[in-house]
Amino acid sequence: MLPVIVPVGGAAADAAVPLSFAMGAHYRLCMTENLSADRPSFVTHLECSLTGERYRADRLHGLSKAGRPLLVRYDLDAVRGAVTRDALSARPTDLWRWRELLPVRRTDSIVSLGEIETPLVPIPASAGRRVLVKDEGRLPTGSFKARGLVMAVTMARELGITRIAMPTNGNAGAALAAYASRCGIETIIFAPAETPEVNVREIAAQGARVYRVNGQIDECGALVAKGAAEGLWFDFSTLKEPYRIEGKKTMGLELAAQSGWRLPAAIFYPTGGGTGLIGMWKAFDELEALGWIGPERPRMYAVQASGCAPIVRAFEANVEHAERWENAATVAAGIRVPRAVGDFLILRAVRASGGRAIAVDDDAILQAVDDAARRDGLLLCPEGGATLAAYRVAVRDGLVGDDDDVVLFNCATGLKYPMPEAANWLDKNGAIDLASL
Ligand SMILES: *Cc1c(COP(=O)(O)O)cnc(C)c1O
């Protein structure tokens, strides 16, 4: 059977076309090679992250009965028999090269916008020669939310979901809108008052119905939960459906492959709901079970803004769960998350890794963004700037040394965010002293 994709939603949604009509040559290569048509998935079951209770695969699931995130489990022995590290390394480098470690069963469920492997970019002038930025701003919709949402929407489609609602600080809503509209799934999105204007507009432009709410993201989440309880839609909140984490874990898989199957000494991750941090930690365990990496792990640094730092407070108080952060405020909207349903999973991973949770203030964030742009030519998003600011704190406090390889995550393109004004005008009809410019 030929792999097929389905063109942009609406009336054409059931008119499957051969891949070759729909995509460029490069992408055709990736998809046909990385996604042979219907194949067995290696998923065995889902598991409650708190109690370990098992749930059946291929069913609609939200949170577990204990109200906690569900984790997808695979038959890793069978994966080890099906693919070698070298065979995987020889595949095209997009997200679908990891297919054996992903939950999708049917190739024609996949709703793709071209999920490339993101580069590791050195920023020697602003951070030193051992530091690389994993630049997630290159992904579809300009943020790493694409990794999670391409997987979650693909699974929603596979499981027959037709209407989704989600709270968002911006980028998740944009990624959901894009992928869902592409396959004809309806989306309703709730954004806190302080969501960046560009995000609200890109969500609307990509076919979702988006509403600003006079509250924080967890209060938007409460509206989504209420509608879901009334049967109006499926709840796509962070970690309340099981597949976003599987998409986000590809950051960890990719990092291992890009680093020659040797992980860095430290990872700095801007932490809101923590999906990426939890996902990478899961990825490392799966890679070790496959025998593709050893038991060494990076120290995981969960980075938050000092105006919204519930995980940092819980880390420092040595407790398992984080209390809600009141009056949350920071320029880094993506990490303005007062309460995270996966708090204990973030804290466990950070502690088990020997890392820390670090808070940085908005001035340090903006300074870091300015430095990386001005000195290294890399325009970070504010959350990416937060990781550079936290790295500087870690160096100052002796947590990372000169010999440590460090990876910072820049989770969205800096182009989405307001930049300082640069309004210099010249009068073409007047006398211009060009040598003085
Ligand atoms: C969502 C988001 C984050 C936080 O990611 P989590 O994995 O949910 O913690 C960080 N930065 C940006 C730009 C985001 O959009």
Side-chain angles (χ1 to χ4, degrees):
M1 191 189 135
L2 245 187
V4 292
I5 70 152
V6 170
V8 180
D14 52 6
V17 294
L19 200 56
S20 50
F21 284 96
M23 289 176 168
H26 168 72
Y27 210 67
R28 182 162 77 242
L29 175 73
C30 298
M31 290 284 288
T32 48
E33 207 170 308
N34 282 344
L35 284 168
S36 52
D38 295 352
R39 68 217 150 79
S41 144
F42 292 89
V43 175
T44 52
H45 63 282
L46 282 65
E47 188 180 290
C48 173
S49 56
L50 188 66
T51 65
E53 190 187 352
R54 291 171 73 109
Y55 292 74
R56 284 186 62 174
D58 305 307
R59 296 288 164 85
L60 269 186
H61 292 294
L63 291 173
S64 72
K65 282 180 218 140
R68 294 297 170 179
L70 289 173
L71 300 174
V72 181
R73 296 300 182 199
Y74 300 83
D75 181 351
L76 295 171
D77 288 334
V79 173
R80 197 185 311 118
V83 61
T84 64
R85 205 172 75 173
D86 289 345
L88 187 124
S89 297
R91 293 176 182 171
T93 54
D94 69 6
L95 179 146
W96 303 104
R97 86 194 305 202
W98 302 103
R99 63 182 185 239
E100 286 86 356
L101 294 172
L102 298 175
V104 182
R105 286 198 196 274
R106 291 162 43 85
T107 300
D108 58 8
S109 307
I110 290 176
V111 190
S112 179
L113 287 163
E115 295 70 33
I116 59 161
E117 179 178 276
T118 60
L120 290 164
V121 183
I123 47 167
S126 48
R129 64 191 174 84
R130 291 282 196 177
V131 177
L132 298 173
V133 175
K134 188 141 173 76
D135 190 9
E136 298 280 296
R138 323 280 176 115
L139 284 159
T141 70
S143 88
F144 70 172
K145 291 297 194 302
R147 291 184 190 270
L149 272 309
V150 72
M151 207 60 61
V153 170
T154 292
M155 293 305 291
R157 184 182 191 199
E158 193 156 280
L159 297 171
I161 294 169
T162 56
R163 202 183 221 218
I164 292 170
M166 177 201 259
T168 185
N169 277 325
N171 290 317
L176 172 60
Y179 287 110
S181 295
R182 192 170 171 81
C183 66
I185 295 178
E186 231 182 306
T187 43
I188 298 104
I189 292 178
F190 300 88
E194 305 284 313
T195 307
E197 180 66 18
V198 63
N199 291 129
V200 175
R201 292 189 189 201
E202 65 176 324
I203 292 167
Q206 286 160 184
R209 299 201 291 284
V210 54
Y211 302 89
R212 278 194 196 267
V213 178
N214 54 341
Q216 297 280 357
I217 190 165
D218 55 337
E219 294 162 317
C220 294
L223 293 176
V224 172
K226 186 160 185 288
E230 290 170 14
L232 296 176
W233 50 59
F234 189 75
D235 185 342
F236 245 46
S237 305
T238 303
L239 297 178
K240 290 195 184 169
E241 67 74 54
Y243 300 111
R244 239 161 107 179
I245 228 182
E246 294 304 292
K248 278 279 197 84
K249 95 181 171 190
T250 60
M251 291 190 290
L253 301 173
E254 216 170 277
L255 191 55
Q258 281 175 305
S259 319
W261 310 102
R262 244 194 73 254
L263 297 171
I267 289 176
F268 288 75
Y269 185 83
T271 305
T275 333
L277 195 148
I278 298 164
M280 283 194 277
W281 198 245
K282 181 174 189 283
F284 299 151
D285 283 348
E286 290 173 0
L287 289 174
E288 187 184 355
L290 291 175
W292 294 7
I293 63 169
E296 310 78 26
R297 294 289 183 276
R299 299 192 299 282
M300 306 295 282
Y301 292 97
V303 179
Q304 298 201 302
S306 33
C308 182
I311 298 296
V312 178
R313 190 169 58 189
F315 179 84
E316 288 172 354
N318 222 354
V319 293
E320 260 246 288
H321 291 278
E323 272 174 52
R324 183 174 197 269
W325 189 276
E326 301 301 328
N327 305 314
T330 168
V331 287
I335 52 176
R336 197 179 51 230
V337 178
R339 170 162 44 203
V341 63
D343 53 359
F344 66 110
L345 297 172
I346 302 168
L347 287 160
R348 277 183 198 169
V350 167
R351 288 183 176 126
S353 76
R356 297 185 62 90
I358 296 177
V360 288
D361 65 30
D362 281 5
D363 286 345
I365 290 174
L366 294 173
Q367 185 63 54
V369 170
D370 190 71
D371 288 344
R374 214 171 275 285
R375 299 164 66 187
D376 288 301
L378 186 65
L379 192 59
L380 303 174
C381 62
E383 297 79 1
T387 66
L388 174 53
Y391 167 73
R392 289 170 166 177
V393 170
V395 170
R396 185 198 68 199
D397 293 352
L399 299 172
V400 293
D402 289 344
D403 297 336
D404 285 336
D405 290 318
V406 172
V407 171
L408 312 179
F409 273 85
N410 182 52
C411 302
T413 168
L415 290 171
K416 285 202 196 192
Y417 301 89
M419 283 169 248
E421 261 185 65
N424 295 318
W425 277 90
L426 295 173
D427 177 4
K428 69 179 167 41
N429 300 318
I432 300 173
D433 178 5
L434 293 175
S436 76
L437 301 182

